[in-house]
Amino acid sequence: LIHWNDNEIFFFQESFSIPFESNMKNLLSDEEQITHIDAGSYYFLALTDKNKIYSSKFNGHKLKQIVNKKGENQLISQISVGEDHSIVLTTNGEVFSWGNNEKSQCGFAKLSSVKSPTKIEFKGIKKGDSIKQISASNNFNVILTNSGRVFSWGD
């Protein structure tokens, strides 16, 4: 069970009688607000209006911001959490993933953990089309393009 208000997030593991508290107020600046959250089997992600991602899996520590090839921070439009991996969509239509990749759920052939957000290269998306929605599940992901095409990977 997860409960939050005023940027405080509380989640209860296994038993309702022993709460584990992750107080986001200690991590967020006074001007920063959580705008999106998503939960997987073992953790959740929180996206802020300052384009920062926080994860409960790593004791609430901020993840490294996603940077493009030019060294500029990418603006994140969507976050999605699978069982033990995460994907994000940037405002310019790029998808990044990290986490457990045992079943290629992060989108890479090498079946090992992906430690930081890594861009996924999509070969089947036609020029002029772009990704508009992402969704992660247990060990797979689905994306929807602006032309209505659906792509999936993982197990």
Side-chain angles (χ1 to χ4, degrees):
L1 173 69
I2 298 174
H3 169 73
W4 71 95
N5 65 2
D6 295 332
N7 287 325
E8 291 182 301
I9 298 180
F10 307 91
F11 60 99
F12 301 84
Q13 298 178 350
E14 310 253 345
S15 169
F16 291 108
S17 62
I18 305 172
F20 172 81
E21 178 181 338
S22 176
N23 188 341
M24 298 299 282
K25 280 188 176 179
N26 293 335
L27 298 172
L28 302 176
S29 68
D30 289 338
E31 299 84 33
E32 193 172 20
Q33 297 289 318
I34 295 171
T35 59
H36 296 88
I37 60 168
D38 195 37
S41 296
Y42 304 111
Y43 68 103
F44 68 89
L45 291 182
L47 175 65
T48 72
D49 59 352
K50 302 295 183 197
N51 200 42
K52 294 179 184 174
I53 300 174
Y54 294 88
S55 171
S56 67
K57 184 172 187 172
F58 304 107
N59 298 320
H61 292 98
K62 178 180 72 171
L63 294 176
K64 182 173 95 175
Q65 281 187 290
I66 296 170
V67 176
N68 66 16
K69 293 177 186 172
K70 298 175 186 172
E72 300 169 350
N73 286 333
Q74 300 272 6
L75 292 177
I76 299 164
S77 62
Q78 293 178 34
I79 59 176
S80 191
V81 179
E83 181 173 307
D84 201 17
H85 74 286
S86 303
I87 60 174
V88 298
L89 176 65
T90 65
T91 55
N92 64 350
E94 295 178 326
V95 177
F96 291 77
S97 68
W98 66 96
N100 184 348
N101 192 47
E102 284 179 357
K103 302 187 185 219
S104 294
Q105 62 266 47
C106 287
F108 306 106
K110 187 176 178 185
L111 302 178
S112 61
S113 289
V114 179
K115 296 186 189 250
S116 63
T118 305
K119 183 179 172 184
I120 301 173
E121 299 291 339
F122 293 98
K123 307 260 187 254
I125 297 178
K126 296 177 180 175
K127 197 171 193 160
D129 201 3
S130 61
I131 299 167
K132 73 174 186 177
Q133 186 177 355
I134 59 171
S135 181
S137 189
N138 288 344
N139 294 312
F140 72 97
N141 307 294
V142 181
I143 60 171
L144 175 65
T145 68
N146 283 323
S147 67
R149 296 178 73 202
V150 175
F151 294 85
S152 145
W153 67 95
D155 185 24

